[in-house]
Amino acid sequence: MNAETLTLNKNSWDEAAPRFFGRTALPEYGPLAPLEDELNLMGDVTGLNVLELGCGSGHSLQYMERRGARGLWGIDLSRKQIETASELLASSGARARLFESPMEQDPGLPHNYFDLVYSIFALGWTTNIDRTFANVNAYLKEGGLFIFSWEHPFYNRAKFTDNGLILNKSYHEEGPYDHEAWHTPAIMQQFKVSTYINALIKHGFVIDNVVEEVRLPEDGTETHANRWYSYDKARFLPTTLIIKSHKKSNSVT
């Protein structure tokens, strides 16, 4: 776990939080990606205890509460995001237990307790994928679900130009990189699809579904013009990787 990177990212997210209020939250798994309402990966969450990694502004937890989840828990690196999520959930009468913490650290969450742990477009911020997945395994009951989405590893390795797609980064390259698009410095992590899958298997998970489809609305060309997640680029490459897994019985990590 890189303490310097965590501090850098925490400060960056505290500054950027207002710009991401309500963005990329359930039922949305990612930009131009299928919705949970279509995929139904989580199934019926009525009465379940759920935990969100990278809970952001709280909109995904609000979605879970409206679908009948019983226990709402969330962690986020940013103090500003935790404050915003607390206000949002309180305004709708939802009760949630929120922790200001990086996902690589266990802030004192109950073990063998949660029916579902999920993360919506946040996992690329972890500085230690092994530690994060080990934590998730500890939090979940046997058979509990772990579902996450993140930018597809192919997507930022290619650039869409007037002449078509150009690869501008090796797919084999993994690890931290500067998130240059932000106003303040931030470090993100890049992994191959196989790295996510093998890390899940290593830490006691069984893979149930891998989703790479895109959802291209008929009017999307205009809506997403000149954006990082562009309609034109998404016609060739998936924007989002979604993986559903579950904690196998008697797993040891």
Side-chain angles (χ1 to χ4, degrees):
M1 185 161 49
N2 190 316
E4 183 178 348
T5 297
L6 289 175
T7 299
L8 192 73
N9 288 349
K10 174 181 171 61
N11 292 337
S12 186
W13 265 110
D14 282 344
E15 185 275 334
R19 292 191 287 124
F20 290 91
F21 182 80
R23 286 174 56 181
T24 316
L26 286 172
E28 182 182 2
Y29 276 104
L32 297 172
L35 305 177
E36 167 60 13
D37 298 349
E38 301 162 337
L39 297 173
N40 196 32
L41 296 177
M42 297 178 176
D44 184 3
V45 301
T46 303
L48 300 187
N49 291 311
V50 303
L51 167 66
E52 181 173 8
L53 305 182
C55 63
S57 56
H59 286 81
S60 289
L61 284 170
Q62 187 180 64
Y63 171 85
M64 298 297 282
E65 191 271 338
R66 288 171 177 171
R67 289 190 58 193
R70 178 181 62 189
L72 304 176
W73 300 63
I75 66 174
D76 199 282
L77 177 65
S78 164
R79 174 174 297 180
K80 181 63 177 178
Q81 291 284 53
I82 291 295
E83 292 173 351
T84 301
S86 297
E87 292 172 3
L88 176 80
L89 293 166
S91 69
S92 62
R95 294 185 177 181
R97 300 184 184 184
L98 305 179
F99 296 79
E100 181 189 336
S101 172
M103 62 184 76
E104 302 91 328
Q105 295 178 2
D106 180 351
L109 298 174
H111 288 194
N112 303 303
Y113 176 79
F114 294 97
D115 303 288
L116 167 65
V117 176
Y118 68 92
S119 182
I120 306 301
F121 236 68
L123 201 70
W125 292 94
T126 182
T127 63
N128 190 321
I129 192 171
D130 284 309
R131 187 68 256 157
T132 296
F133 284 0
N135 287 343
V136 174
N137 183 283
Y139 302 148
L140 282 170
K141 299 176 180 177
E142 287 190 2
L145 297 180
F146 177 35
I147 300 171
F148 69 85
S149 67
W150 179 242
E151 182 178 271
H152 197 285
F154 280 130
Y155 194 80
N156 77 342
R157 288 164 164 88
K159 182 179 181 180
F160 190 80
T161 70
D162 292 338
N163 297 319
L165 284 174
I166 299 175
L167 289 175
N168 57 359
K169 184 184 290 187
S170 169
Y171 181 67
H172 304 294
E173 183 179 332
E174 295 189 288
Y177 67 97
D178 292 333
H179 188 16
E180 298 175 356
W182 278 26
H183 302 305
T184 54
I187 304 294
M188 297 175 71
Q189 305 293 321
Q190 187 160 264
F191 301 109
K192 297 180 291 188
V193 174
S194 60
T195 299
Y196 288 114
I197 291 175
N198 290 330
L200 285 167
I201 294 170
K202 174 184 176 181
H203 291 286
F205 292 95
V206 176
I207 311 298
D208 297 313
N209 295 91
V210 178
V211 179
E212 299 177 292
E213 280 70 30
V214 295
R215 182 176 179 268
L216 298 175
E218 293 182 2
D219 61 350
T221 305
E222 187 102 0
T223 303
H224 292 273
N226 300 318
R227 294 187 182 182
W228 172 248
Y229 298 106
S230 72
Y231 182 94
D232 287 334
K233 189 175 177 181
R235 289 189 297 115
F236 295 92
L237 290 173
T239 61
T240 304
L241 173 68
I242 309 168
I243 298 181
K244 174 183 177 179
S245 62
H246 68 271
K247 178 179 176 177
K248 66 183 179 182
S249 300
N250 300 315
S251 60
V252 178
T253 61

Short mmCIF file of all heavy atoms in Angstrom, two decimals, residues 8 23-25 37-38 52 78 94 124 127 129 131 153 155 189 191 202 223 231-232 241 251:
data_model
loop_
_atom_site.label_atom_id
_atom_site.label_comp_id
_atom_site.label_asym_id
_atom_site.label_seq_id
_atom_site.Cartn_x
_atom_site.Cartn_y
_atom_site.Cartn_z
N LEU A 8 -2.17 11.65 -1.91
CA LEU A 8 -2.33 12.44 -3.13
C LEU A 8 -3.75 12.30 -3.68
O LEU A 8 -4.41 13.28 -4.01
CB LEU A 8 -1.31 11.97 -4.17
CG LEU A 8 -1.13 12.85 -5.41
CD1 LEU A 8 -0.38 14.13 -5.06
CD2 LEU A 8 -0.36 12.06 -6.48
N ARG A 23 -22.61 11.12 -10.47
CA ARG A 23 -22.16 10.57 -11.74
C ARG A 23 -21.70 9.12 -11.59
O ARG A 23 -21.12 8.73 -10.59
CB ARG A 23 -21.01 11.41 -12.31
CG ARG A 23 -21.49 12.74 -12.88
CD ARG A 23 -20.34 13.62 -13.31
NE ARG A 23 -19.46 12.97 -14.29
CZ ARG A 23 -18.37 13.56 -14.80
NH1 ARG A 23 -18.06 14.80 -14.42
NH2 ARG A 23 -17.61 12.94 -15.68
N THR A 24 -21.99 8.31 -12.60
CA THR A 24 -21.62 6.90 -12.65
C THR A 24 -22.02 6.20 -11.35
O THR A 24 -21.18 5.76 -10.58
CB THR A 24 -20.11 6.71 -12.92
OG1 THR A 24 -19.69 7.61 -13.95
CG2 THR A 24 -19.84 5.29 -13.38
N ALA A 25 -23.31 6.14 -11.13
CA ALA A 25 -23.87 5.48 -9.96
C ALA A 25 -24.98 4.54 -10.40
O ALA A 25 -25.60 4.74 -11.45
CB ALA A 25 -24.42 6.52 -8.99
N ASP A 37 -30.51 -2.53 -14.19
CA ASP A 37 -31.91 -2.86 -14.49
C ASP A 37 -32.01 -3.83 -15.66
O ASP A 37 -32.97 -4.61 -15.76
CB ASP A 37 -32.68 -1.59 -14.83
CG ASP A 37 -32.71 -0.62 -13.66
OD1 ASP A 37 -32.33 -1.02 -12.54
OD2 ASP A 37 -33.10 0.55 -13.85
N GLU A 38 -31.02 -3.82 -16.55
CA GLU A 38 -30.99 -4.72 -17.69
C GLU A 38 -30.24 -6.02 -17.38
O GLU A 38 -30.67 -7.11 -17.77
CB GLU A 38 -30.32 -4.03 -18.88
CG GLU A 38 -31.01 -2.75 -19.33
CD GLU A 38 -30.13 -1.87 -20.18
OE1 GLU A 38 -28.89 -1.97 -20.10
OE2 GLU A 38 -30.69 -1.07 -20.94
N GLU A 52 -20.49 -0.85 -0.14
CA GLU A 52 -19.95 -0.27 -1.36
C GLU A 52 -18.54 0.23 -1.14
O GLU A 52 -18.27 1.00 -0.21
CB GLU A 52 -20.82 0.90 -1.85
CG GLU A 52 -20.29 1.51 -3.14
CD GLU A 52 -21.20 2.55 -3.75
OE1 GLU A 52 -22.19 2.94 -3.10
OE2 GLU A 52 -20.91 2.99 -4.88
N SER A 78 -12.22 9.75 0.31
CA SER A 78 -12.38 11.19 0.41
C SER A 78 -13.32 11.60 1.54
O SER A 78 -14.46 11.13 1.61
CB SER A 78 -12.93 11.73 -0.92
OG SER A 78 -13.44 13.03 -0.79
N ALA A 94 -32.56 7.54 4.55
CA ALA A 94 -31.82 6.27 4.54
C ALA A 94 -30.73 6.31 5.61
O ALA A 94 -30.04 7.31 5.78
CB ALA A 94 -31.21 6.03 3.17
N GLY A 124 -10.24 1.08 -9.85
CA GLY A 124 -8.95 1.49 -10.41
C GLY A 124 -8.16 2.44 -9.53
O GLY A 124 -7.02 2.77 -9.85
N THR A 127 -4.49 1.05 -4.55
CA THR A 127 -3.05 0.94 -4.71
C THR A 127 -2.57 -0.49 -4.49
O THR A 127 -1.40 -0.80 -4.70
CB THR A 127 -2.31 1.86 -3.72
OG1 THR A 127 -2.60 1.44 -2.38
CG2 THR A 127 -2.72 3.31 -3.91
N ILE A 129 -4.41 -4.20 -5.24
CA ILE A 129 -5.58 -5.00 -5.61
C ILE A 129 -5.67 -6.27 -4.78
O ILE A 129 -6.77 -6.71 -4.42
CB ILE A 129 -5.55 -5.30 -7.12
CG1 ILE A 129 -6.91 -5.86 -7.57
CG2 ILE A 129 -4.42 -6.23 -7.49
CD1 ILE A 129 -7.04 -5.99 -9.06
N ARG A 131 -4.67 -6.72 -1.60
CA ARG A 131 -5.16 -6.39 -0.26
C ARG A 131 -6.66 -6.06 -0.30
O ARG A 131 -7.42 -6.45 0.58
CB ARG A 131 -4.38 -5.18 0.27
CG ARG A 131 -4.65 -4.81 1.71
CD ARG A 131 -4.13 -5.87 2.66
NE ARG A 131 -5.24 -6.68 3.18
CZ ARG A 131 -5.12 -7.89 3.65
NH1 ARG A 131 -3.95 -8.49 3.68
NH2 ARG A 131 -6.16 -8.54 4.12
N PRO A 153 -9.84 -2.20 -19.50
CA PRO A 153 -8.39 -2.03 -19.71
C PRO A 153 -7.98 -1.71 -21.14
O PRO A 153 -6.90 -1.14 -21.36
CB PRO A 153 -7.82 -3.38 -19.26
CG PRO A 153 -8.79 -3.89 -18.26
CD PRO A 153 -10.14 -3.45 -18.77
N TYR A 155 -9.66 0.34 -23.08
CA TYR A 155 -10.21 1.62 -23.53
C TYR A 155 -9.18 2.74 -23.58
O TYR A 155 -9.10 3.48 -24.57
CB TYR A 155 -11.41 2.02 -22.66
CG TYR A 155 -12.20 3.14 -23.28
CD1 TYR A 155 -13.12 2.89 -24.30
CD2 TYR A 155 -12.02 4.46 -22.90
CE1 TYR A 155 -13.84 3.91 -24.90
CE2 TYR A 155 -12.74 5.49 -23.49
CZ TYR A 155 -13.65 5.21 -24.49
OH TYR A 155 -14.34 6.22 -25.09
N GLN A 189 -4.56 3.21 -11.30
CA GLN A 189 -3.92 1.92 -11.54
C GLN A 189 -4.49 1.28 -12.81
O GLN A 189 -5.68 1.38 -13.09
CB GLN A 189 -4.15 0.98 -10.35
CG GLN A 189 -3.72 1.54 -9.01
CD GLN A 189 -2.22 1.71 -8.89
OE1 GLN A 189 -1.46 0.87 -9.37
NE2 GLN A 189 -1.78 2.78 -8.24
N PHE A 191 -4.64 -2.36 -14.99
CA PHE A 191 -4.40 -3.80 -14.99
C PHE A 191 -5.03 -4.42 -16.23
O PHE A 191 -5.95 -3.86 -16.82
CB PHE A 191 -5.01 -4.46 -13.74
CG PHE A 191 -4.47 -3.93 -12.44
CD1 PHE A 191 -5.26 -3.13 -11.63
CD2 PHE A 191 -3.18 -4.20 -12.04
CE1 PHE A 191 -4.77 -2.63 -10.44
CE2 PHE A 191 -2.68 -3.71 -10.85
CZ PHE A 191 -3.48 -2.91 -10.04
N LYS A 202 -7.37 -16.04 -6.86
CA LYS A 202 -6.36 -16.17 -5.81
C LYS A 202 -6.95 -15.92 -4.43
O LYS A 202 -6.56 -16.57 -3.44
CB LYS A 202 -5.23 -15.18 -6.09
CG LYS A 202 -4.17 -15.09 -5.00
CD LYS A 202 -3.14 -14.02 -5.34
CE LYS A 202 -2.13 -13.83 -4.23
NZ LYS A 202 -1.14 -12.75 -4.56
N THR A 223 -24.81 13.28 -27.96
CA THR A 223 -24.69 13.43 -26.51
C THR A 223 -23.25 13.27 -26.04
O THR A 223 -22.80 13.98 -25.15
CB THR A 223 -25.60 12.42 -25.80
OG1 THR A 223 -26.94 12.60 -26.25
CG2 THR A 223 -25.54 12.59 -24.30
N TYR A 231 -19.12 8.14 -28.10
CA TYR A 231 -19.96 7.19 -28.82
C TYR A 231 -19.17 6.51 -29.94
O TYR A 231 -19.23 5.29 -30.11
CB TYR A 231 -21.16 7.94 -29.39
CG TYR A 231 -22.17 7.09 -30.14
CD1 TYR A 231 -23.29 6.58 -29.50
CD2 TYR A 231 -22.00 6.83 -31.49
CE1 TYR A 231 -24.22 5.81 -30.19
CE2 TYR A 231 -22.92 6.06 -32.19
CZ TYR A 231 -24.02 5.56 -31.54
OH TYR A 231 -24.93 4.80 -32.23
N ASP A 232 -18.40 7.29 -30.69
CA ASP A 232 -17.65 6.74 -31.82
C ASP A 232 -16.63 5.71 -31.36
O ASP A 232 -16.47 4.65 -31.97
CB ASP A 232 -16.96 7.86 -32.59
CG ASP A 232 -17.94 8.70 -33.40
OD1 ASP A 232 -19.01 8.17 -33.75
OD2 ASP A 232 -17.64 9.88 -33.65
N LEU A 241 -15.63 -2.63 -17.91
CA LEU A 241 -15.52 -4.04 -17.55
C LEU A 241 -16.33 -4.27 -16.29
O LEU A 241 -16.16 -3.56 -15.30
CB LEU A 241 -14.06 -4.41 -17.30
CG LEU A 241 -13.79 -5.82 -16.76
CD1 LEU A 241 -14.12 -6.88 -17.82
CD2 LEU A 241 -12.34 -5.95 -16.30
N SER A 251 -13.38 -20.90 1.73
CA SER A 251 -12.24 -20.33 1.04
C SER A 251 -11.22 -19.84 2.04
O SER A 251 -11.54 -19.41 3.15
CB SER A 251 -12.68 -19.19 0.13
OG SER A 251 -13.29 -18.17 0.90
#
